[in-house]
Amino acid sequence: MLVKVRLILLVFVFSTMHTFSQIKHGLRDELGRHIIPRGFVVNTNDHKGEVFFNSDDYVRQVRMGANTQVVRLELGKLSDFPGGKLEPNYLKKLDSLVALGRHSDIKTVFKMTVYGADKFVWEEFWQNKKNEYQTYIDAWKVIWNRYANEPYVLGYDVVNEPRKLTMDISYEDLTNKYLIPLYQKIIDESQKINPDKMILFQSIFMNKGEKVDNNQYSEITAPINRKNIIFAPHIYQNDISFIKRNMDRFDKESDMLKAPILIGEWGFPTFATTDTIIEGNLGQLKYRELYIRTAEVFDRMGVGSIKAWFLGNRTMQNFLPGGPSTWSIFSDKTDAGTVERKYITDVISRPFPQTIAGDIQSFLFNHATRTLNLNIKTDNSKGASKIFIGANRHYPDGFSIIINDDFVMYYNPLKNVGLEIYKAREGSNPSDFIWDENSQKLIILKWPFNQEEVNLKILPGIRNF
């Protein structure tokens, strides 16, 4: 069995003394393996009430490529804000979600929302006249103390979509005078309890009608000056022409912040009509293209990403011109769904390198050719590697694995005998390559080329080269 390890060390490299360069938005585990976090937002409730998950739901997440979940916390069930109180049964529910993740090798990030707190007013919160900051931090302390020694809790997204609303202040001043000092205070308090956990942070969610470059999130222009931080912006971009521009801005912010990017939420909501039509601005073809172009930008930048939401579709919201809409990736009228919105889930669940013993230099999944192209520098001293392939959805015709053109294996789904050898370099051991049908992952116990720069391709079909 592969050793499960805790993510504790951030990698954020802008340049290197070597002849190769690695992606700069990445995590490392305690063995030094390169990690790309990907997964889903997991809600504890929706507009119909509580949401419950079981082990089958987590197997489904794994088979969709998840290695990370973001669990949304409800401030009203953790704090003394008006209308709120600490609920022991809610903590047990959070324990169960962490355990379900652990059993499926999925790390957990907790994200604090203000749901459940009556009359939470951002304008009053920022003024802190009633010591609101401490009340907020005390709610977080419940979580920090509870999971300080849980290796499968990666970190905490500390303020979800902070708002300005009616405050008479610029977004830059609100960020510099209020938000960043609050982040510094939260980080300092958290690291007294669990210094190795990551702190994720976001920018101000701007008021309706105040987008910049079709981006609803304001720019951070001053550093936080803390360690173990991750910039976790959201992107709900519905205009393809703005996707790269928005991500380039985030990239510039991350340089200044000295923090890698993990996209905390993404994916423009789908409309009720999208489930029923193929063409048009709200049709499935349009959504597939939008998601593909977004995914390509993510892959080229090497960023991890968390999709909202891993839910069925008991309710829809109605605040966009196109009518009722939802972020749920399943269309069932239940809390935990099984009927995928395939026009987006096949893009979300694309092949990618999850865990690499060595350094990821670049990767990209080409949706047109169904080809994963991965460039790495290998390092067998760091243990095993895992590549999510999702063959059940992307390669029903089988797939071929090619490394540097002189190591080739393939999987024939008609024979179901595991990986077969076509060509192997002298001294290599094809038995180090394992296809895990349950998790839809390729596991590499040891690279055949150690301490080398290699190109790995996953191609559709059997010996399709």
Side-chain angles (χ1 to χ4, degrees):
M1 180 178 292
L2 297 177
V3 178
K4 296 178 180 177
V5 296
R6 178 172 53 169
L7 294 173
I8 61 171
L9 179 63
L10 282 171
V11 169
F12 196 50
V13 178
F14 297 91
S15 62
T16 175
M17 298 294 291
H18 299 88
T19 58
F20 65 93
S21 61
Q22 58 186 276
I23 57 172
K24 69 179 183 180
H25 302 290
L27 301 180
R28 297 278 184 179
D29 64 21
E30 63 186 16
L31 296 181
R33 297 180 297 182
H34 226 156
I35 305 294
I36 303 297
R38 197 179 285 178
F40 301 95
V41 175
V42 172
N43 298 11
T44 57
N45 67 7
D46 62 13
H47 289 103
K48 285 288 188 179
E50 286 201 75
V51 174
F52 296 94
F53 297 97
N54 59 34
S55 58
D56 287 346
D57 299 313
Y58 277 75
V59 170
R60 192 170 293 110
Q61 284 192 50
V62 168
R63 290 169 65 87
M64 297 178 77
N67 58 1
T68 308
Q69 65 172 338
V70 172
V71 176
R72 296 206 313 180
L73 298 174
E74 301 173 52
L75 184 62
K77 294 182 178 180
L78 294 168
S79 75
D80 294 329
F81 276 97
K85 66 176 181 178
L86 180 61
E87 298 185 12
N89 285 339
Y90 183 69
L91 296 178
K92 292 179 181 178
K93 183 174 186 176
L94 299 179
D95 290 345
S96 71
L97 294 175
V98 172
L100 286 167
R102 184 194 317 116
H103 296 154
S104 295
D105 203 18
I106 292 175
K107 303 293 191 299
T108 296
V109 171
F110 285 112
K111 182 206 309 259
M112 186 70 78
T113 72
V114 299
Y115 299 131
D118 294 348
K119 299 180 180 178
F120 184 94
V121 180
W122 283 106
E123 297 92 331
E124 295 177 1
F125 177 74
W126 296 125
Q127 298 301 322
N128 196 32
K129 292 180 178 178
K130 297 180 181 179
N131 208 22
E132 286 92 342
Y133 290 1
Q134 190 58 53
T135 303
Y136 191 87
I137 289 171
D138 286 344
W140 265 121
K141 284 183 177 179
V142 174
I143 301 299
W144 297 336
N145 284 305
R146 195 172 188 89
Y147 300 108
N149 298 315
E150 172 52 71
Y152 271 83
V153 171
L154 168 60
Y156 314 106
D157 196 340
V158 291
V159 184
N160 185 55
E161 295 189 338
R163 303 296 303 272
K164 177 175 80 109
L165 300 177
T166 62
M167 283 185 73
D168 185 17
I169 190 172
S170 69
Y171 289 108
E172 184 174 15
D173 285 347
L174 177 60
T175 299
N176 294 342
K177 294 180 180 180
Y178 294 96
L179 183 61
I180 289 179
L182 175 61
Y183 281 153
Q184 291 169 332
K185 184 176 178 63
I186 291 174
I187 293 167
D188 292 343
E189 291 299 312
S190 175
Q191 292 182 345
K192 292 176 184 177
I193 298 171
N194 39 202
D196 290 336
K197 302 296 188 189
M198 300 299 110
I199 297 295
L200 287 72
F201 62 93
Q202 306 174 29
S203 54
I204 300 292
F205 181 70
M206 294 189 291
N207 294 340
K208 188 174 182 180
E210 297 182 347
K211 294 179 179 180
V212 176
D213 280 345
N214 209 41
N215 188 344
Q216 199 73 53
Y217 299 90
S218 63
E219 185 173 357
I220 299 177
T221 58
I224 294 176
N225 294 321
R226 294 296 187 272
K227 297 179 179 180
N228 288 355
I229 59 175
I230 299 174
F231 183 33
H234 297 177
I235 181 167
Y236 287 112
Q237 184 56 258
N238 66 331
D239 188 327
I240 288 175
S241 64
F242 283 105
I243 296 169
K244 187 176 186 304
R245 190 184 305 182
N246 290 171
M247 290 300 297
D248 284 346
R249 198 203 82 185
F250 292 151
D251 196 45
K252 183 181 74 171
E253 288 173 87
S254 77
D255 287 349
M256 180 273 299
L257 291 161
K258 294 182 172 57
I261 293 173
L262 168 59
I263 299 298
E265 293 180 15
W266 76 282
F268 196 74
T270 58
F271 293 87
T273 55
T274 310
D275 289 336
T276 64
I277 60 174
I278 296 295
E279 298 178 326
N281 287 334
L282 301 182
Q284 294 178 20
L285 293 179
K286 182 74 172 181
Y287 268 83
R288 180 168 172 79
E289 182 184 12
L290 175 65
Y291 274 60
I292 285 174
R293 298 308 173 207
T294 306
E296 287 174 344
V297 174
F298 289 171
D299 286 3
R300 286 194 172 97
M301 288 181 63
V303 300
S305 55
I306 306 297
K307 177 67 181 77
W309 297 316
F310 195 81
L311 282 183
N313 204 172
R314 294 195 293 190
T315 64
M316 283 199 171
Q317 301 190 39
N318 199 354
F319 62 91
L320 293 169
S325 62
T326 181
W327 285 278
S328 299
I329 66 168
F330 301 107
S331 61
D332 323 42
K333 304 300 182 183
T334 57
D335 53 351
T338 62
V339 181
E340 295 183 23
R341 290 186 160 97
K342 291 279 285 180
Y343 53 92
I344 61 172
T345 55
D346 279 354
V347 181
I348 297 164
S349 305
R350 64 197 180 280
F352 76 108
Q354 286 191 334
T355 305
I356 295 297
D359 305 312
I360 302 173
Q361 296 170 264
S362 65
F363 68 94
L364 178 68
F365 179 68
N366 186 311
H367 292 264
T369 64
R370 288 185 290 144
T371 301
L372 176 65
N373 199 311
L374 171 63
N375 293 298
I376 62 174
K377 183 175 181 183
T378 61
D379 186 349
N380 285 331
S381 69
K382 292 182 170 64
S385 301
K386 300 177 186 177
I387 299 173
F388 174 73
I389 292 182
N392 58 338
R393 69 178 69 233
H394 293 291
Y395 302 110
D397 39 5
F399 61 87
S400 299
I401 307 161
I402 304 176
I403 303 179
N404 283 1
D405 295 325
D406 56 3
F407 183 93
V408 181
M409 303 185 74
Y410 59 90
Y411 175 71
N412 185 342
L414 300 180
K415 296 169 69 174
N416 197 27
V417 294
L419 298 175
E420 298 181 72
I421 306 164
Y422 177 73
K423 179 168 54 173
R425 179 197 273 190
E426 184 178 352
S428 63
N429 185 2
S431 66
D432 286 331
F433 284 68
I434 300 169
W435 170 240
D436 186 336
E437 174 68 26
N438 289 331
S439 67
Q440 292 288 294
K441 297 177 186 177
L442 173 65
I443 299 171
I444 302 101
L445 302 179
K446 183 187 296 184
W447 293 106
F449 319 112
N450 189 35
Q451 294 292 338
E452 293 186 31
E453 294 181 45
V454 303
N455 172 256
L456 181 148
K457 289 186 177 72
I458 306 294
L459 304 173
I462 300 166
R463 292 187 287 173
N464 175 29
F465 40 83

